[in-house]
Amino acid sequence: STDKTVTQNINTLCTACGSWMTYDIAEGKWSVVINQAGTFSYTYARTAHTVTTTGVSYDSSIKKIGSSSMYFDGSSNAKIATSTDFGFGTSSWTIECWVYRGSASRTEGIIDLRTTQTQLAPYIQVVNAAPKLLLNGTNVITGGNVLTANAWHHIAVVKNGTSTKMYVNGTQTGSSYTDNNTYVSTAPVSIGEAYTGAITPYNFLGRIDEVRISAGVARYTGTFTPSTTAFENDNFTTLLLHVNGDASDDVGPGTFTGTNTLWNVASRG
């Protein structure tokens, strides 16, 4: 692990309790088990993902948090390969980002975790100014006309137990969805368009900033004030993109220039 604080804490714990620590190279996980009747275990995971972009560039003139945002020109996209990090099962989850639209009269994909049109994976879309959540080919939440052009908006979709809600700028928009679904166990991530291979990709025109996907937690359960500072990794974070000109602040190696490049970022704190 590159997180010295966590590693030091685990080492201290192991020494004090006569336990042992292992590292799974394939899974990228540290594990420690306390040698007292097997009553306690702790797993620290950090898995790197690669973001592959086409036609995406950094924009330092219009950004919400940090030094830049991702600019999508209406035909560009950013992709992360299929991973269990994005398969939610029956768990709670949160998908969120900041968007700055170039037009409010377009249908656009914001974040899509599907591989086909009919699949139990979230797809966040906007039609004109109304954000939507689609599941299994069906529109299950339609928000109000709140995603206007030429302004930053925070959008979050949150599954909390069996209730899924959409928030824009910290306020719920659209009705709550009774969510008893079992989501796919693995999924990719498409940012700025619909899933790879979609007949109509609905590419995004504008800027996207501070993308975070969280598994196993409902980050918001009521009206809130969206953070205007960068998120920090924690053990619920499965993807976190600060988009500040290189990948160093996304806790992973590599650089990002926006045209057919590979951008390695850490996923789970």
Side-chain angles (χ1 to χ4, degrees):
S1 171
T2 58
D3 191 324
K4 295 180 179 179
T5 301
V6 172
T7 304
Q8 288 168 351
N9 287 342
I10 291 177
N11 283 331
T12 300
L13 191 61
C14 288
T15 301
C17 301
S19 57
W20 62 93
M21 183 169 74
T22 62
Y23 182 69
D24 186 325
I25 296 175
E27 294 293 328
K29 296 179 180 180
W30 284 100
S31 297
V32 59
V33 180
I34 306 303
N35 190 19
Q36 293 181 359
T39 55
F40 174 82
S41 66
Y42 175 81
T43 298
Y44 175 74
R46 184 184 294 279
T47 305
H49 291 295
T50 298
V51 180
T52 304
T53 66
T54 302
V56 181
S57 60
Y58 280 114
D59 187 350
S60 59
S61 62
I62 300 177
K63 73 276 187 183
K64 182 61 183 182
I65 296 172
S67 59
S68 62
S69 63
M70 285 186 288
Y71 175 67
F72 295 79
D73 64 5
S75 61
S76 48
N77 61 69
K79 305 281 188 178
I80 298 97
T82 296
S83 170
T84 55
D85 280 347
F86 313 122
F88 301 134
T90 57
S91 301
S92 296
W93 49 265
T94 305
I95 300 174
E96 60 187 307
C97 64
W98 287 90
V99 298
Y100 185 102
R101 304 183 65 208
S103 169
S105 58
R106 293 167 54 91
T107 296
E108 299 176 320
I110 299 175
I111 296 177
D112 194 353
L113 274 61
R114 301 173 301 163
T115 58
T116 63
Q117 183 177 5
T118 54
Q119 191 175 46
L120 279 172
Y123 173 33
I124 303 172
Q125 184 189 66
V126 57
V127 178
N128 297 324
K132 296 176 179 286
L133 173 65
L134 284 79
L135 295 174
N136 206 26
T138 301
N139 176 35
V140 297
I141 298 177
T142 299
N145 293 320
V146 289
L147 290 186
T148 55
N150 302 316
W152 281 107
H153 301 284
H154 181 267
I155 182 167
V157 178
V158 183
K159 179 179 183 287
N160 181 24
T162 58
S163 178
T164 296
K165 299 179 181 181
M166 178 182 290
Y167 298 89
V168 171
N169 300 328
T171 300
Q172 183 178 355
T173 184
S175 301
S176 300
Y177 168 63
T178 300
D179 196 339
N180 295 303
N181 294 308
T182 298
Y183 287 82
V184 295
S185 58
T186 63
V189 179
S190 294
I191 303 173
E193 71 169 17
Y195 66 92
T196 299
I199 296 175
T200 306
Y202 296 120
N203 294 89
F204 189 83
L205 175 63
R207 285 89 178 164
I208 298 178
D209 203 352
E210 201 68 13
V211 179
R212 181 169 69 171
I213 298 177
S214 306
V217 64
R219 297 281 187 186
Y220 315 108
T221 57
T223 302
F224 65 97
T225 300
S227 174
T228 55
T229 59
F231 293 128
E232 295 183 3
N233 258 350
D234 60 24
N235 207 45
F236 296 107
T237 303
T238 57
L239 186 72
L240 177 57
L241 306 181
H242 296 307
V243 201
N244 284 336
D246 62 50
S248 61
D249 63 341
D250 293 290
V251 205
T255 58
F256 167 75
T257 59
T259 306
N260 298 320
T261 59
L262 299 181
W263 181 20
N264 295 320
V265 296
S267 65
R268 181 168 288 169

